[in-house]
Amino acid sequence: IGRKNWLFSQTPRGAQASAIIYSIIETAKENHLHPFPYLTYLFETLPQQQEDASLDEWLPWSTQLPERCRIPVQS
């Protein structure tokens, strides 16, 4: 996914930002989350948190994430 997209990173900081976003999205997928609702949830809730708050509840493997972010597990 990143191979051709790296061509559009015009600066090292842009490439680093792209790598961070790709990592978050791929980690969300591996933890059975819908990437778009998960990112929306992060962008809506994280700015309202205290600076010293623990980030554990927003990590992709957290059990405290809302159900709208989760992909139903099929048995």
Side-chain angles (χ1 to χ4, degrees):
I1 185 171
R3 188 171 173 183
K4 289 191 177 186
N5 291 334
W6 302 125
L7 297 173
F8 298 103
S9 298
Q10 297 181 5
T11 64
R13 288 184 64 180
Q16 184 179 17
S18 293
I20 290 169
I21 287 294
Y22 291 141
S23 295
I24 291 170
I25 290 171
E26 291 303 316
T27 304
K29 287 185 206 176
E30 287 295 317
N31 285 279
H32 308 289
L33 299 176
H34 292 289
F36 186 77
Y38 175 61
L39 289 174
T40 302
Y41 172 72
L42 291 180
F43 294 144
E44 289 173 349
T45 58
L46 282 175
Q48 301 167 7
Q49 300 308 310
Q50 301 288 334
E51 285 187 30
D52 59 346
S54 172
L55 296 178
D56 291 340
E57 65 184 87
W58 292 283
L59 295 174
W61 48 85
S62 173
T63 58
Q64 298 175 351
L65 295 173
E67 285 300 314
R68 66 183 165 112
C69 296
R70 301 189 185 285
I71 296 173
V73 178
Q74 298 177 359
S75 304

